[in-house]
């Protein structure tokens, strides 16, 4: 096997991994602040994918552009869900939250199945088969654009939590729920905003990924698990960790696909998860606590 | 003495209903058609594995989302022993039950030892089940992703020892297994170990402070739960005569297993049974209804299922059994036990 093939595999793994990382960031934000494990995460991602597919098919809108309305739509949906339903479950035991989100996930994914059927669809962008050539390495244009979009959104998300007043207030809730309430923050309102942001982010990730893959409703559970793996590997609550974890999983999947056997690539991800859980449960970039 | 213990806290009305229901189930195969028998067998199966899952989560408070692992290992193990060595399922169980209990305890030991708790532990169980699923997809000696098929021998009547025969045989075997699991859980919750689990579930720190060996107690819960589930897997293999990694090890199966106890009432002994009695007919009923209405859209049934889950967890978060049992006067409400006993003594 030639060196350029490895380089190509590696770089396409990194590019896809960045989009995975963005999806996992949404999960990480929600868990880090609201302390809810969003078992409907992959389902929301697939919702974003189908929105991109519909917009592309109906009006020929590029998924890179449809990411904006999809983000708005998912923000509203996520905000409403947290406000109307999930806020009541904040203090309930883990397994009850899990069942609630599982029910929501089932409704979402099978609702998509009812509307779109089980067949694979794609966004069919005009540059779908174009590529960049960088020093002997072939990079799919779609992958490069998707990864670029993921990096921009990740940077925006980081800036929001670092500099905006709302972002700082949300971090205060995450650090100390009681303290935040004492200084007069509307904790439940901020939770709703956080869930909205997490949903919007994963929706964007779905749009971006729809450039690269064929979209089917059945993918949802896989992406939920994938996001979990990335978040645990990278470290819960660490945004950089989510991106790093995403790249790591993207690369290991790509390499396993070439070196071992494509159908076994999932085993590598699960193996990595088991290893990290046992050796470094706080994740690669996570803080112990 | 033993039956008295088993029915402690159950009102006379509850005992009567239980006896009547059991009697009806025992006689039912005489009149029921094969469709009803298959549905009831499925209900017993889910009641059984739900009971097994409940040992770990309901009694000891350790959330597992990967119980399909033990169904799959139990099923594949017994099927392999049957096909390659000619060993029957009951002999096979002597092998696969300890193996699954050990696998569960190994996962538990690794997890608890390294301080993996709560959601993280649940994810560890998912990861182990999924890892094994993909691995079994590639074990060609056991059929790989193409599935493993047990030979069907017809025309020799019911053979309990080899678990080959008519739907009625499977019906009774599964009914007995479900009853045994019910009795076992009823007994084990009244032992010292059962009370240790209760303390662990309610407050691990306080339990540790009291000197309860948490690690050992947790491992016993995982081991018992995994071993019981493996028996369910063996039955599954011999009932359906086929095993596909994507079906037995799937995360969907793990979730199906735990829905019953959660809907019925987590941590209660009769909850898993009630949950299975509600959910399985609900799924089947939804299919029949949709068929009758001529709706053939894929996914409709699951949407209804999902809605029911959301509604149940919103309005009956502790499960249906604790509420129903008191409402219908089937058990003595908690806290009134002592009063009743005093009243009877006078």
């Amino acid at each position: 096997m030639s060196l350029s093939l490895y380089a190509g595999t590696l770089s396409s793994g990194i590019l896809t991994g960045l989009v995975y990382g963005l999806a996992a960031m949404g999960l990480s934000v929600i868990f880090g602040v609201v302390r809810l494990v969003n078992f409907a995460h992959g389902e929301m991602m697939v919702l974003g994918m189908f929105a991109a597919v519909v917009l592309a098919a109906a009006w020929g809108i590029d998924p890179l552009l449809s990411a904006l309305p999809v983000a708005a739509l998912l923000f509203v949906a996520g905000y409403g869900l947290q406000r109307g339903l999930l806020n009541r479950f904040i203090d309930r035991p883990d397994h009850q939250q899990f069942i609630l989100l599982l029910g929501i996930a089932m409704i979402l994914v099978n609702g998509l199945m009812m509307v779109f059927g089980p067949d694979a669809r794609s966004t069919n962008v005009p540059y779908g088969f174009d590529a960049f050539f960088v020093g002997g390495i072939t990079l799919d244009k779609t992958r490069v654009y998707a990864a670029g979009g993921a990096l921009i959104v990740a940077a925006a998300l980081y800036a929001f939590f670092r500099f905006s007043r709302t972002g700082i207030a949300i971090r205060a809730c995450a650090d100390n729920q009681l303290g935040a309430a004492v200084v007069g923050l509307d904790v439940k309102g901020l939770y709703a905003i956080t869930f909205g942001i997490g949903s919007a982010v994963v929706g964007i990730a779905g749009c971006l990924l729809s450039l690269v893959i064929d979209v089917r409703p059945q993918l949802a559970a896989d992406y939920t698990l994938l996001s979990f793996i990335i978040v645990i590997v990278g470290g819960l609550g660490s945004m950089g960790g989510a991106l790093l974890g995403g790249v790591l999983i993207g690369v290991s999947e790509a390499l396993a696909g070439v070196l071992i056997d494509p159908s076994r690539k999932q085993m590598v991800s699960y193996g990595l998860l088991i290893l990290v859980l046992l050796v470094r449960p706080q994740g690669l970039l996570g803080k112990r606590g | 003495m033993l039956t008295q213990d088993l029915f402690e806290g159950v009102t006379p009305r509850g005992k009567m209903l239980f006896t009547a229901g059991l009697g009806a189930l025992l006689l039912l195969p005489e009149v029921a058609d094969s469709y009803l028998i298959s549905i009831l067998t499925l209900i017993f199966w889910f009641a059984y594995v739900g009971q097994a899952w409940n040992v770990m989560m309901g009694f000891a408070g350790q959330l597992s989302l990967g119980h399909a692992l033990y169904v799959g290992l139990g099923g594949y193990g017994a099927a392999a022993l049957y096909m390659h060595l000619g060993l029957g399922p009951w002999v096979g169980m002597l092998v696969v039950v300890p193996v699954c209990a050990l696998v569960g305890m190994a996962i538990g030991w690794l997890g608890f030892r390294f301080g993996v708790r709560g959601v993280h532990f649940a994810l560890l169980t998912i990861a182990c089940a999924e890892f094994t699923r993909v691995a079994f997809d590639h074990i060609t000696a056991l059929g790989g992703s193409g599935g493993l098929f047990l030979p069907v021998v017809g025309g020799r009547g019911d053979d309990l020892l080899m678990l080959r025969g008519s739907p009625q045989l499977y019906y009774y075997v599964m009914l007995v297994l479900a009853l045994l699991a019910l009795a076992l859980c009823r007994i084990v919750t009244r032992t010292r170990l059962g009370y240790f689990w209760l303390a662990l579930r309610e407050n691990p720190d306080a339990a540790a402070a009291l000197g309860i060996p948490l690690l050992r107690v947790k491992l016993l819960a995982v081991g018992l739960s995994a071993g019981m589930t493996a028996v369910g897997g063996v039955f599954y293999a011999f009932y359906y005569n086929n095993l596909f990694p994507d079906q037995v090890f799937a995360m969907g199966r793990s979730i199906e297993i735990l829905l019953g106890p959660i809907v019925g009432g987590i941590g209660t002994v009769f909850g898993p049974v009630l949950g299975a009695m509600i959910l399985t007919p609900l799924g089947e009923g939804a299919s029949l209804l949709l068929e009758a209405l001529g709706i053939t859209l894929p996914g409709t049934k699951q949407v209804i299922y999902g809605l029911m889950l959301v509604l149940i967890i919103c309005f009956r978060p502790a499960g249906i059994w604790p509420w129903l049992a008191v409402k219908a006067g089937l058990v003595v409400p908690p806290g009134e036990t002592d009063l009743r006993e005093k009243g009877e003594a006078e």
Side-chain angles (χ1 to χ4, degrees):
Chain A
M1 224 184 282
S2 70
L3 200 66
S4 73
L5 179 63
Y6 278 116
T9 310
L10 204 66
S11 46
S12 94
I14 292 174
L15 294 175
T16 318
L18 284 169
V19 185
Y20 288 168
L22 183 67
M25 257 183 175
L27 187 73
S28 183
V29 163
I30 293 171
F31 183 83
V33 177
V34 191
R35 298 273 141 197
L36 265 180
V37 182
N38 183 13
F39 272 90
H41 205 66
E43 284 72 8
M44 290 178 168
M45 189 168 179
V46 173
L47 194 66
M49 290 179 185
F50 270 99
V53 167
V54 168
L55 289 174
W59 294 292
I61 301 175
D62 190 292
L64 291 169
L65 286 177
S66 53
L68 289 173
V70 168
L73 177 84
L74 271 155
F75 178 84
V76 172
Y79 184 90
L81 190 63
Q82 180 74 34
R83 257 268 131 99
L85 200 56
L86 298 178
N87 267 340
R88 283 191 255 159
F89 277 74
I90 295 294
D91 299 319
R92 301 248 198 122
D94 283 350
H95 70 268
Q96 293 186 14
Q97 302 173 350
F98 161 71
I99 292 294
L100 178 69
L101 284 158
L102 191 73
I104 293 169
M106 280 172 92
I107 296 170
L108 268 180
V109 69
N110 290 295
L112 285 172
M113 188 84 103
M114 285 167 72
V115 178
F116 296 101
D119 298 332
R121 290 153 187 262
S122 81
T123 43
N124 284 328
V125 282
Y127 49 86
F129 296 102
D130 297 353
F132 294 113
F133 300 96
V134 186
I137 304 172
T138 318
L139 297 172
D140 300 332
K141 239 180 189 173
T142 48
R143 242 177 254 278
V144 174
Y145 288 162
L151 279 178
I152 292 169
V153 177
L157 198 63
Y158 179 79
F160 171 79
F161 280 112
R162 191 96 181 82
F163 301 115
S164 81
R165 284 183 67 86
T166 319
I168 292 168
I170 288 174
R171 281 197 292 144
C173 292
D175 281 348
N176 188 337
Q177 189 191 340
L178 184 66
V182 166
V183 298
L185 292 176
D186 171 16
V187 174
K188 295 217 156 162
L190 288 167
Y191 278 178
I193 293 176
T194 308
F195 203 92
I197 290 172
S199 312
V201 165
V202 76
I204 296 174
C207 284
L208 296 173
L209 206 59
S210 73
L211 281 170
V212 183
I213 62 155
D214 289 335
V215 181
R216 285 178 299 135
Q218 302 93 307
L219 293 174
D222 286 346
Y223 283 118
T224 301
L225 282 177
L226 192 75
S227 303
F228 282 137
I229 295 175
I230 292 169
V231 165
I232 303 283
V233 168
L236 267 177
S238 157
M239 297 175 90
L243 273 190
L244 177 72
V247 170
L248 214 58
I249 295 290
V251 168
S252 64
E253 278 199 349
L255 282 182
V258 174
L259 292 179
I260 312 170
D261 167 4
S263 63
R264 261 186 245 217
K265 63 181 189 181
Q266 277 179 307
M267 248 172 115
V268 178
S269 315
Y270 294 124
L272 202 63
L273 172 66
I274 296 171
L275 198 70
V276 167
L277 275 175
L278 296 180
V279 179
R280 203 179 151 82
Q282 74 271 36
L284 296 178
L285 295 188
K287 289 186 276 287
R288 200 173 255 292
Chain B
M1 183 64 210
L2 184 67
T3 46
Q4 244 174 18
D5 264 3
L6 283 177
F7 284 98
E8 192 196 329
V10 181
T11 60
R13 188 198 290 189
K15 283 178 202 169
M16 249 172 61
L17 261 177
F18 183 81
T19 318
L22 189 58
L25 287 178
L26 284 172
L27 294 177
L28 195 95
E30 301 297 327
V31 289
D33 62 354
S34 59
Y35 175 67
L36 191 61
I37 288 183
S38 74
I39 297 293
L40 281 164
T41 311
L42 202 60
I43 292 178
F44 301 152
W45 191 81
F46 276 113
Y48 175 85
V49 288
Q51 197 71 263
W53 179 84
N54 198 32
V55 169
M56 199 168 147
M57 175 63 201
F59 299 160
Q62 309 301 314
L63 179 57
S64 161
L65 301 182
H67 256 50
L69 175 63
Y70 312 119
V71 175
L73 285 180
Y76 266 102
L81 289 173
Y82 176 69
M83 291 169 70
H84 294 295
L85 300 176
L87 296 174
W90 307 105
V91 182
M93 273 179 204
L94 297 179
V95 180
V96 296
V97 170
V99 167
C100 281
L102 284 176
V103 168
M105 285 163 99
I107 295 172
W109 185 80
L110 284 170
F112 302 136
R113 194 90 192 77
F114 289 93
V116 182
R117 256 176 288 172
V119 177
H120 291 77
F121 180 71
L123 286 173
L124 180 66
T125 60
I126 296 183
C128 289
E130 287 287 301
F131 186 86
T132 317
R133 174 179 67 83
V134 185
F136 268 73
D137 264 341
H138 294 89
I139 300 180
T140 39
L142 293 175
S145 56
L148 182 66
F149 299 90
L150 274 76
V152 181
V153 229
R156 271 198 238 151
D158 289 349
D159 183 353
L160 181 61
L161 215 58
M162 285 291 170
L163 210 56
R164 314 267 76 191
S166 60
Q168 278 83 357
L169 172 76
Y170 293 103
Y171 174 95
Y172 282 118
V173 167
M174 205 57 237
L175 177 61
V176 170
L177 284 177
L179 283 172
L180 284 177
L182 185 66
L184 178 68
C185 286
R186 189 79 183 163
I187 292 167
V188 88
T189 46
R190 275 108 204 284
T191 59
R192 195 174 148 83
L193 180 64
Y195 292 118
F196 281 177
W197 284 342
L198 188 65
L200 162 70
R201 182 187 82 190
E202 292 303 319
N203 191 335
D205 294 331
L210 284 172
I212 295 174
L214 285 196
L215 183 65
R216 199 188 311 159
V217 169
K218 281 183 194 173
L219 289 185
L220 283 172
V222 183
L224 178 61
S225 180
M228 283 173 73
T229 311
V231 175
V234 175
F235 181 88
Y236 180 97
F238 282 79
Y239 181 54
Y240 288 108
N241 292 318
N242 61 61
L243 291 162
F244 295 92
D246 287 350
Q247 285 176 10
V248 284
F249 287 111
M251 198 182 148
R253 177 149 312 270
S254 299
I255 289 171
E256 270 180 351
I257 290 173
L258 59 85
L259 287 179
I262 288 182
V263 166
I266 203 164
T268 64
V269 172
F270 202 74
V273 181
L274 183 73
M277 285 178 356
I278 294 171
L279 287 176
T280 311
L282 190 76
E284 292 298 323
S287 306
L288 288 178
L289 183 72
L290 290 172
E291 213 173 288
L293 291 174
I295 301 172
T296 52
L297 280 176
T300 318
K301 181 182 155 188
Q302 283 83 353
V303 169
I304 297 174
Y305 223 74
L307 274 172
M308 289 298 300
L309 276 187
V310 171
L311 289 177
I312 289 173
I313 209 69
C314 281
F315 297 108
R316 287 276 158 258
I320 293 173
W321 173 249
W323 166 80
L324 182 75
V326 172
K327 260 275 181 296
L330 304 178
V331 299
V332 182
E336 287 181 26
T337 327
D338 294 336
L339 285 174
R340 289 273 175 113
E341 273 166 11
K342 262 183 208 157
E344 275 167 21
E346 274 165 16

